[in-house]
Structure formats: C-alpha cells, structure tokens
Amino acid sequence: MTTDPLISSHFSLEVQGVSADFFSTASGFANTSEIVTHQAVSSTGVSIQQKIPGDLTWSEITLERGITNDMSLWDWRQEVINGNIDTARRDGSIVMYDGSLTEVARWNFVRGWPSAWTGPDVGADNQAVAIETITIAHEGLVRAL
C-alpha cells in the first residue's frame, strides 16, 4: 500500500506558558551524528577505515508567523535575556496540520529555549504581513506522529 505524502498547511507551537497559535513556516527538523574515522587492521592484515558515530547534534527549530499583539514569544525570549535560562527551558511540540486543521504530524522537543527572536521589517509603503521569527535551541527531537 502506498501512502500519500503529507501536505502541510499550518504549524503550531505547544509550550507551557507560551501561546503561539499558528505559524506559516517551520524548519530545523534535523539531527546529525559526527563521523569519527578510526584506522584499524583487519584479521588478515589489511588496513581499513572504520566510520563510527560520534557526537549527536540537533538543529535549531525556526518558526515564522505574522506578528500579533500576543507577547508570549517575546516574554519567553526575555527570560533568556534576563539570565533565567533554567526557567526558560521547556519541553514542547511542533504540530503540523493539514488544510482542514487535522493534526498530521508532531515533533516533541526536550529542554527547548528561545535562542533568537526577530521582529518584522516594517515600512509605511509596505503592505506585506509583518513577520516575527523565533528560533528554539533544544536537546532532542522525537517524531511522535
């Protein structure tokens, strides 16, 4: 049986104390293992290179949305700026929805904190939606759905 690929329409952020509704884009769902090369000699005396996994790293998650009067993303980032990293670290989820707002995928992150916030580029002659961006550093990401 062939399964159709998921078509994403909206993303949301679920973090305790942060109300962040829907985002238009989400990126950074990635992890990488460092490749450690080890020179060895086989039982027959042949020199071989073994490649073994080293440190595991997680990409930062970046979310973009039209800015609103909701200050929860700003306030969460402010905790880090004020030096309260222990209280800023939170588990959370990025949820992907289809066009009918049915949840189709979920990624849970561990001990996330906002490492960057970017506000909109504004101008009186610009009629585009004002976009805010939040970047979340974390210590692990698991696909739950």
Side-chain angles (χ1 to χ4, degrees), residues 61 92 97:
I61 298 167
Y97 300 90

Side-chain angles (χ1 to χ4, degrees), residues 32-38 49-57:
T32 305
S33 292
E34 177 185 357
I35 299 171
V36 177
T37 303
H38 174 70
Q49 284 190 352
Q50 293 177 316
K51 299 209 183 246
I52 53 179
D55 290 340
L56 175 63
T57 58

Side-chain angles (χ1 to χ4, degrees), residues 15-142:
V15 177
Q16 182 181 9
V18 177
S19 104
D21 295 332
F22 291 105
F23 290 83
S24 55
T25 63
S27 62
F29 303 98
N31 62 64
T32 305
S33 292
E34 177 185 357
I35 299 171
V36 177
T37 303
H38 174 70
Q39 192 72 30
V41 178
S42 72
S43 59
T44 60
V46 176
S47 179
I48 58 172
Q49 284 190 352
Q50 293 177 316
K51 299 209 183 246
I52 53 179
D55 290 340
L56 175 63
T57 58
W58 300 94
S59 296
E60 293 181 342
I61 298 167
T62 301
L63 300 159
E64 293 182 357
R65 71 171 184 176
I67 196 166
T68 68
N69 61 355
D70 175 24
M71 297 286 290
S72 60
L73 290 177
W74 176 267
D75 292 342
W76 189 25
R77 174 69 182 141
Q78 206 59 42
E79 289 182 52
V80 175
I81 292 169
N82 293 338
N84 300 323
I85 189 64
D86 287 339
T87 59
R89 288 184 188 274
R90 300 180 187 152
D91 296 345
S93 300
I94 308 299
V95 183
M96 185 171 80
Y97 300 90
D98 64 13
S100 65
L101 298 182
T102 301
E103 182 176 328
V104 293
R106 175 181 290 267
W107 291 268
N108 298 326
F109 60 85
V110 179
R111 292 176 45 85
W113 56 276
S115 61
W117 177 89
T118 304
D121 294 329
V122 295
D125 61 344
N126 185 352
Q127 294 185 11
V129 173
I131 301 295
E132 73 176 326
T133 304
I134 189 84
T135 303
I136 301 169
H138 58 90
E139 297 177 4
L141 185 70
V142 175

